[in-house]
Amino acid sequence: MTLATTRSAVISIGLAAALAVVAALSLAITSSQTGAGVIPTFTVNTTADTGALGCQDAPGDCTLREAITAANLANPATIEFDIAGCPPACTITPTASLPDIVVNNVVIDGTTQQAPDGTPLIVISGASVANGHGLSVGPFGVGGDGVTVRTLEVRDFPGRGIFVGGNAQNVSILNNVVMGSGSEGIDMRGQDSEVAGNTVEGSARSGIYLDSLASNVAVHDNTLTGNSQSGVSSFDPVFNITDNLVEGNDTGIVTNGGSGTIARNVVSNNLRTGIRPYGESVVEDNTVTGNGRAGIALDGPGPHEVRDNTVTGNGDLAPEVGDQSGVKTQALNSTVVGNTITGNASDGVYIDAHFAVIGGTGADANTITDNGRAGVFVVEAVITPAAVPAGGEEDDALSA
């Protein structure tokens, strides 16, 4: 055999081997789609963090990194977990950021390996990651529609715990535990999406952050504690924040414009204000207690409607009288009706705005008792005939 012939044979053998590897990976991604409409499933069975070819039909390990890579190629796909030794919890510790999810309709399903009470057993730890997010869905406007991330513990990443990019739609972030993030716990920028049932604690910024790119995101049934900024901070133009426990953060719930509903939340023992909507809001049926500044502080153009809330024991840490009140309004067109406002450090209701309606008859009457100063205090410079401090039982006469 000549030298040229030998070289040709070696090249042919190398090319054949490479094609065999590609074919094997292709088979792993597509073989479970032989039935019409069947979505491929990649089962993570190790806590290792290798990035070599894996998740194939042949026996072998499938890491989370490999499963996300395979899901991006399969589109759509489901990632499940079957790691030996869980319970107790199995911890996956990436040494670098995991791949972004850049396709649609991927489900990362931690319910396939969870405790009997629903607590996540799959822990993704960022302790060895120098920078980056825990899980990233649809960054830079690429993919992410219909993605679900559920029942995982994501902790100690230097960036966000879970990040959802701005063009993603119908994303569901459900029943996760997100702890110790170096930025926001959950940063949602998608539309028509849901952030529900999560526990988010110890974030360096807000627990749940809705960017201005977000729209119509439902934030409900979450527990938000010990976050260094707000429990929930929303720039969403159409927000719906309901049924959350928001406790022990710097501030409870903050909306920065937009319009929507803040309802049935328990907002307690936050360092500063309990609920602070700016823009247009209905604040209804919340329990707001023990916050360091005003229980509810209204701002912006309004209108705001504050109805049927229990607002008690707020304002003990505030340096200014207005911030020591149960309800403080500096917003145009505020209506405060049907509330129980008791035991706050200064005024029950503090009004520093035009066109405020306080109380009424029947169900619209407020109960305002045992506050540290006035039941309703109106700043004289801005009182208008439209302000009606009526209804309910007050501590003192109207003050000005």
Side-chain angles (χ1 to χ4, degrees), residues 345-397:
S346 182
D347 307 308
V349 180
Y350 178 95
I351 307 170
D352 188 5
H354 294 285
F355 311 119
V357 176
I358 311 300
T361 59
D364 284 348
N366 297 296
T367 298
I368 307 176
T369 64
D370 300 318
N371 297 286
R373 196 174 70 158
V376 178
F377 187 95
V378 181
V379 178
E380 186 174 11
V382 295
I383 191 169
T384 72
V388 184
E393 181 183 354
E394 299 176 359
D395 308 278
D396 302 299

Side-chain angles (χ1 to χ4, degrees), residues 41-69:
T41 297
F42 302 99
T43 300
V44 177
N45 59 9
T46 176
T47 60
D49 187 43
T50 56
L53 295 177
C55 302
Q56 301 181 31
D57 287 348
D61 288 340
C62 178
T63 68
L64 179 58
R65 182 178 301 279
E66 291 167 337
I68 294 174
T69 299

Side-chain angles (χ1 to χ4, degrees), residues 131-361:
N131 55 67
H133 312 317
L135 293 171
S136 179
V137 177
F140 312 113
V142 179
D145 292 358
V147 168
T148 297
V149 177
R150 61 176 170 234
T151 319
L152 302 172
E153 181 175 322
V154 182
R155 62 182 305 144
D156 300 329
F157 278 86
R160 284 89 170 169
I162 300 175
F163 174 81
V164 179
N167 285 342
Q169 300 183 28
N170 301 306
V171 178
S172 297
I173 308 299
L174 308 176
N175 303 322
N176 302 284
V177 176
V178 183
M179 302 174 63
S181 302
S183 186
E184 290 82 7
I186 298 174
D187 185 339
M188 168 63 75
R189 306 185 181 200
Q191 296 87 47
D192 301 318
S193 295
E194 181 180 22
V195 181
N198 303 282
T199 296
V200 187
E201 61 181 74
S203 306
R205 294 185 180 176
S206 295
I208 296 174
Y209 175 79
L210 306 181
D211 187 85
S212 59
L213 295 173
S215 180
N216 194 33
V217 175
V219 176
H220 64 90
D221 295 290
N222 301 283
T223 298
L224 306 156
T225 62
N227 298 288
S228 295
Q229 295 182 358
S230 303
V232 180
S233 178
S234 173
F235 289 81
D236 186 343
V238 184
F239 56 84
N240 188 16
I241 303 169
T242 62
D243 300 292
N244 302 283
L245 173 61
V246 187
E247 185 175 45
N249 307 281
D250 181 77
T251 305
I253 298 172
V254 178
T255 65
N256 301 278
S259 63
T261 299
I262 303 171
R264 301 181 304 280
N265 302 282
V266 176
V267 183
S268 66
N269 299 312
N270 297 284
L271 182 63
R272 300 176 192 267
T273 305
I275 299 175
R276 186 179 66 79
Y278 183 100
E280 180 178 344
S281 69
V282 175
V283 181
E284 183 175 21
D285 199 25
N286 300 281
T287 299
V288 186
T289 180
N291 298 285
R293 295 192 178 182
I296 300 172
L298 310 175
D299 208 344
H304 296 285
E305 181 176 346
V306 178
R307 177 180 292 277
D308 299 332
N309 301 280
T310 299
V311 185
T312 62
N314 301 284
D316 285 339
L317 302 179
E320 298 179 2
V321 170
D323 289 328
Q324 298 169 0
S325 55
V327 178
K328 174 185 178 181
T329 177
Q330 293 181 298
L332 297 175
N333 301 302
S334 300
T335 300
V336 181
V337 293
N339 303 281
T340 298
I341 305 172
T342 64
N344 297 286
S346 182
D347 307 308
V349 180
Y350 178 95
I351 307 170
D352 188 5
H354 294 285
F355 311 119
V357 176
I358 311 300
T361 59

